[in-house]
Amino acid sequence: MEGMELIAFQIISAAGTARSMFVEALNLAKEGKTDEARQIISEGEECFTQGHKAHAELLSKSADGETIVMDLLMVHAEDQMMSAETYRMFAEELISLYEKLNSK
Amino acid sequence: MRKIVLLCNMGLSTSALMKKMRAAAEKEGYECTVNAYPISEAMQEGQDADCLLIGPQVSYQVEKVKAAMPGKPVEAINMKDYGMMNGAAVLAQAKRLIGD
């Protein structure tokens, strides 16, 4: 599999899995399981880091002067990363909120 | 003829995996159809599938799909195999789910 395409898929896979885990974490918090929720967020972050590493390869190629062709697949990969990170940020805030609500 | 259905966000990244799985199936002589669809079409396209494999981006919907299609094998695609676009490995996952 061609280099760029493989990197894109690795990012999509890792960021996508992370995002799914963040969604699951929030669902757990809704059910009152905030400790478990935070655990899943942690695991999701580990997955996300793997995507980050693959992304770093691209950044390094770019820094070396290589032209990175942004095709639809790579745009999707970048989207997945940003979407995962944003979701995590909101999920963390909402988990804290659910915690406060549940403790009343 | 086994019907394998792949589901992801928009069917974009999963369609690449679909091609690899088809190639692997042909190589192995395993008779099946492999098609990728957006998860929003799960109900329509999954009705007569022998197994449904869900991409990582939407794996949080696995339980929802399972509930909507009781008795059908539904599983999230292995993250590593998806990342490496390993058609043969995901085909093996499908076969295991189907029971072949």
Side-chain angles (χ1 to χ4, degrees):
Chain A
M1 164 146 285
E2 206 248 293
M4 289 284 289
E5 207 177 34
L6 187 60
I7 293 175
F9 282 120
Q10 286 172 336
I11 293 171
I12 291 166
S13 187
T17 304
R19 196 177 73 152
S20 285
M21 291 179 103
F22 299 147
V23 172
E24 282 175 35
L26 190 53
N27 288 338
L28 283 167
K30 264 192 230 180
E31 294 166 24
K33 300 174 183 163
T34 38
D35 285 335
E36 221 182 305
R38 291 216 164 89
Q39 173 60 32
I40 304 286
I41 296 267
S42 239
E43 288 175 31
E45 280 177 315
E46 278 177 40
C47 283
F48 189 81
T49 305
Q50 290 183 44
H52 227 268
K53 283 192 185 145
H55 193 245
E57 261 188 76
L58 279 180
L59 294 173
S60 154
K61 281 183 200 244
S62 179
D64 282 343
E66 227 179 282
T67 312
I68 305 292
V69 177
M70 286 304 286
D71 63 358
L72 192 62
L73 190 70
M74 193 53 80
V75 170
H76 185 56
E78 294 285 340
D79 260 348
Q80 286 295 301
M81 276 185 73
M82 285 317 292
S83 156
E85 188 172 318
T86 309
Y87 202 96
R88 193 209 79 226
M89 289 163 71
F90 279 107
E92 284 174 332
E93 288 298 323
L94 288 168
I95 289 171
S96 297
L97 204 61
Y98 275 119
E99 209 169 33
K100 276 197 187 146
L101 278 174
N102 292 332
S103 66
K104 285 215 165 112
Chain B
M1 177 72 82
R2 298 299 194 190
K3 185 174 173 184
I4 299 169
V5 167
L6 306 176
L7 298 165
C8 85
N9 251 128
M10 291 169 282
L12 172 73
S13 36
T14 332
S15 55
L17 182 63
M18 167 187 86
K19 288 185 190 146
K20 299 225 138 195
M21 285 174 74
R22 284 179 182 170
E26 199 178 315
K27 198 167 165 196
E28 292 173 32
Y30 181 68
E31 284 195 14
C32 65
T33 61
V34 187
N35 285 295
Y37 304 101
I39 188 115
S40 50
E41 293 175 25
M43 286 311 292
Q44 293 145 260
E45 305 296 342
Q47 284 307 321
D48 55 348
D50 289 293
C51 82
L52 292 101
L53 289 167
I54 318 271
Q57 316 95 307
V58 288
S59 62
Y60 62 91
Q61 300 216 38
V62 169
E63 294 306 314
K64 189 173 162 189
V65 175
K66 270 190 186 160
M69 290 196 244
K72 271 220 202 287
V74 181
E75 208 171 77
I77 298 171
N78 178 284
M79 183 179 131
K80 279 231 154 60
D81 294 337
Y82 189 94
M84 299 300 287
M85 285 282 119
N86 190 335
V90 183
L91 184 66
Q93 186 182 3
K95 280 161 116 178
R96 179 184 41 84
L97 278 177
I98 293 172
D100 275 342

